[in-house]
Amino acid sequence: MKFRYAKLIALTICGSLLLSACGGENAEPQTNADGKPIISWLNILHSASPPTDTVLSKIEEITNTDIQFSWIPDASKEERLNTSLASGSLADIVSITIMENSSVRNALKAGVFWEVGPYLDEFPNLKEISADMRNSASIDGKLYGIPMQKQVARNGVIIRKDWLDKLGLPVPKTTAELMEAAKAFTEQDPDGNGSKDTTGFIDRSDLVFGAFKTLGSYFGTPSGWAVSEDGKVTPEFESEGYVKAMDYMKELYNNGYINQDFAVTAKKDQQEGFAQGKAGIYVGALFDSKNLLNLAKGVQDDMDLIMVNDITSTGNESDRAIWSTSNGVGGLLAFPKSEVKDEAELKQVLKFMDDLMSEEVYTLMTYGIEGVHYSLEGNAATITDTKLWEQEVQPFSSSRPNENGYDIHDSDPLRVESDRLIQENTKYAVLNPMYSLESATFSEQGSELQKIITDATYKYILGKLDLQGFQDAVQTWRKSGGDKMITEYEAAYQAVQNK
């Protein structure tokens, strides 16, 4: 019997028990009445409700499988996954998007899931997963699932091109030119309303996905951590580039070239403020440009945006860099040995994963069915029924093993350009060398320790701490567990290097 809404409803009723009390017992490998392999999948749901069967049936047809999804709401994924690991109530495929979770890492290292690294090159699509991606997704040098391949480095600067043109300014290529644009947007009435009611930058209370970390890249800040040739590990906030980025933000703040409440501004308010014409520079994900322009319709209809991804502090092309905290890894699609019993079954599931990475299946999971959910002109797809797409297609977006490198693309010109620039960013991405490594102190105290640095960074930018005060905060971080974290990361790094 096919696993559809009856079981989805049962899962909801079972609540935190998830699969342990409803269908969690595992039988021998099964096929359905048509002889298709049955593949169960414990997956994360990022939308309000699971998808209907429309697109799922097409995916099953192409992959010659019977897919049985068990959906976990994103808001409760950590609790539900911990429960499933503890009870052994898993599935053939388990979507793991919280790799820093101690229960998950312990399960991976304990051999609960198959190591798949030795098998990838047997499959045409899986073998294309890069060495950097494989390494970044590995635990202690071993790959325990298919990496969910996301964009490696998606950030850049979005600027009001119409404002640049009105004020006779070039598209900034250096941080100094970006500062000049911010000054002009603040002081020279770029919207022509006769009032000084605009700023250069509009930012939000986020030192990672807001402006700060991207600006830090332009000043040479490492991504999370740096490792010297002799294996010494240092945190990004002890770098010269980090201090330069703080000084840059401090200058913006002191001169009024950035919204003065940026430290407490939510992303929604930031985007709405930009769309309303309150500022002309937005730093964040380049694909946000499409949403910003849509928000501006009927409010700032003359808005013309340009995306910039090649800013440096020196003007030298060789210094181009952009941060990548997760190195493009969105998690793992892992295969528990309790469900996937032997190598033959593993290869069957890997074949299914390989099929999911085809252009045809990617298109189904991204845009849906041509003529039903979208229209196609050349390789450009336009969603024609947004509501139906949200119901039948959008929930699959988090299930894609790979999101990069396909020919079909969104027809919107801004999205096309942002995708091109994001792909170009990959060549200049600064990877986090500690991403796949483990520190017990980071797992236990990482958030608490990071708060020390986050608070000190904001206080420095806002003029409430001088450089010595910031450095004192760094020493507090070190004494409170940072030194121990560094020692653990150095040991983990050396252990992998010596394998």
Side-chain angles (χ1 to χ4, degrees):
M1 179 179 176
K2 302 227 11 160
F3 181 93
R4 290 292 185 261
Y5 281 106
K7 193 159 186 179
L8 290 172
I9 294 170
L11 281 170
T12 303
I13 295 171
C14 287
S16 64
L17 294 177
L18 194 61
L19 298 177
S20 60
C22 42
E25 293 183 3
N26 302 302
E28 291 300 312
Q30 296 182 27
T31 57
N32 66 9
D34 299 323
K36 292 184 177 181
I38 298 174
I39 293 180
S40 57
W41 190 339
L42 191 62
N43 203 7
I44 311 299
L45 182 66
H46 293 272
S47 53
S49 58
T52 60
D53 285 359
T54 309
V55 171
L56 179 58
S57 295
K58 290 287 186 181
I59 297 172
E60 290 178 324
E61 180 181 333
I62 294 168
T63 61
N64 192 39
T65 56
D66 180 349
I67 309 169
Q68 301 186 351
F69 276 113
S70 301
W71 295 99
I72 300 176
D74 182 61
S76 58
K77 64 184 177 184
E78 188 159 11
E79 174 191 350
R80 296 291 188 87
L81 187 53
N82 287 343
T83 300
S84 293
L85 287 169
S87 64
S89 302
L90 297 168
D92 297 333
I93 304 169
V94 178
S95 295
I96 297 175
T97 59
I98 44 175
M99 292 178 65
E100 70 277 9
N101 177 283
S102 58
S103 296
V104 169
R105 294 186 76 90
N106 289 338
L108 291 168
K109 292 190 297 180
V112 171
F113 299 93
W114 283 90
E115 182 188 357
V116 302
Y119 300 97
L120 298 190
D121 290 344
E122 298 180 24
F123 302 90
N125 293 318
L126 296 179
K127 75 177 182 180
E128 297 301 319
I129 300 173
S130 70
D132 278 343
M133 178 65 66
R134 297 186 194 194
N135 291 335
S136 293
S138 295
I139 305 295
D140 291 341
K142 294 184 177 181
L143 186 60
Y144 293 105
I146 303 302
M148 300 175 75
Q149 300 173 74
K150 307 289 185 180
Q151 296 155 331
V152 176
R154 64 190 189 184
N155 282 43
V157 182
I158 300 169
I159 308 176
R160 288 285 298 259
K161 179 67 163 53
D162 52 316
W163 286 11
L164 289 175
D165 292 344
K166 181 175 181 179
L167 300 179
L169 296 170
V171 175
K173 296 297 181 184
T174 66
T175 50
E177 291 175 352
L178 188 61
M179 181 70 74
E180 285 302 308
K183 178 181 179 181
F185 287 176
T186 305
E187 298 178 349
Q188 296 182 28
D189 189 24
D191 59 359
N193 69 353
S195 301
K196 283 191 174 183
D197 56 359
T198 58
T199 60
F201 284 74
I202 188 165
D203 197 27
R204 61 181 184 265
S205 58
D206 189 336
L207 292 180
V208 178
F209 298 104
F212 182 75
K213 198 168 183 70
T214 297
L215 291 171
S217 294
Y218 302 156
F219 289 104
T221 306
S223 185
W225 301 85
V227 184
S228 64
E229 291 184 3
D230 59 356
K232 296 300 181 184
V233 172
T234 53
E236 62 180 356
F237 46 81
E238 290 191 6
S239 69
E240 182 181 359
Y242 194 95
V243 175
K244 287 182 177 179
M246 288 197 301
D247 284 335
Y248 192 89
M249 291 281 288
K250 185 180 180 70
E251 183 177 351
L252 290 173
Y253 179 76
N254 287 343
N255 291 319
Y257 302 161
I258 191 171
N259 55 309
Q260 297 294 282
D261 61 350
F262 79 93
V264 294
T265 297
K267 180 178 180 179
K268 180 176 181 291
D269 295 329
Q270 176 202 20
Q271 294 192 338
E272 289 179 351
F274 187 92
Q276 291 164 5
K278 294 180 179 179
I281 301 171
Y282 175 100
V283 183
L286 289 164
F287 53 67
D288 284 345
S289 56
K290 178 179 177 180
N291 184 48
L292 293 172
L293 198 64
N294 286 338
L295 285 172
K297 288 179 180 178
V299 181
Q300 296 275 311
D301 286 327
D302 58 347
M303 181 182 287
D304 181 20
L305 301 179
I306 187 168
M307 293 166 283
V308 187
N309 73 335
D310 58 355
I311 292 175
T312 66
S313 60
T314 63
N316 298 325
E317 171 75 12
S318 60
D319 292 324
R320 277 186 67 177
I322 185 66
W323 64 276
S324 176
T325 295
S326 65
N327 302 354
V329 179
L332 288 176
L333 296 168
F335 319 113
K337 294 177 180 177
S338 61
E339 316 300 316
V340 181
K341 304 291 186 182
D342 54 32
E343 188 178 65
E345 281 191 54
L346 175 63
K347 289 187 176 183
Q348 178 177 279
V349 178
L350 289 174
K351 170 64 165 58
F352 171 69
M353 284 285 112
D354 192 75
D355 291 341
L356 287 189
M357 291 174 63
S358 70
E359 180 109 22
E360 188 175 10
V361 177
Y362 167 81
T363 301
L364 282 169
M365 299 175 89
T366 305
Y367 300 104
I369 301 169
E370 185 178 2
V372 177
H373 305 102
Y374 74 95
S375 61
L376 193 65
E377 184 173 346
N379 288 326
T382 301
I383 302 299
T384 53
D385 190 328
T386 302
K387 186 174 181 180
L388 190 63
W389 177 84
E390 289 173 348
Q391 293 172 345
E392 299 185 343
V393 184
Q394 188 179 26
F396 289 110
S397 62
S398 60
S399 307
R400 297 170 297 180
N402 182 29
E403 297 181 2
N404 308 304
Y406 295 97
D407 290 333
I408 191 169
H409 55 266
D410 194 304
S411 62
D412 183 272
L414 278 176
R415 189 59 191 256
V416 171
E417 177 65 1
S418 67
D419 285 348
R420 184 187 73 80
L421 295 177
I422 288 169
Q423 184 60 36
E424 184 180 282
N425 273 352
T426 303
K427 295 185 293 185
Y428 304 97
V430 180
L431 303 184
N432 179 358
M434 298 298 112
Y435 177 72
S436 67
L437 303 182
E438 188 169 358
S439 157
T441 304
F442 177 82
S443 298
E444 296 165 7
Q445 298 178 248
S447 298
E448 174 188 339
L449 290 172
Q450 182 57 45
K451 191 175 186 303
I452 296 172
I453 302 303
T454 298
D455 289 348
T457 301
Y458 276 121
K459 287 178 179 178
Y460 183 91
I461 294 170
L462 300 177
K464 298 177 181 178
L465 275 184
D466 59 11
L467 183 57
Q468 184 59 55
F470 178 78
Q471 292 171 341
D472 289 344
V474 172
Q475 291 306 308
T476 298
W477 176 88
R478 279 183 166 271
K479 293 173 183 176
S480 301
D483 279 336
K484 189 177 180 183
M485 190 189 304
I486 289 171
T487 299
E488 290 165 353
Y489 273 136
E490 286 178 346
Y493 181 81
Q494 288 301 329
V496 172
Q497 296 301 306
N498 294 332
K499 284 187 176 180

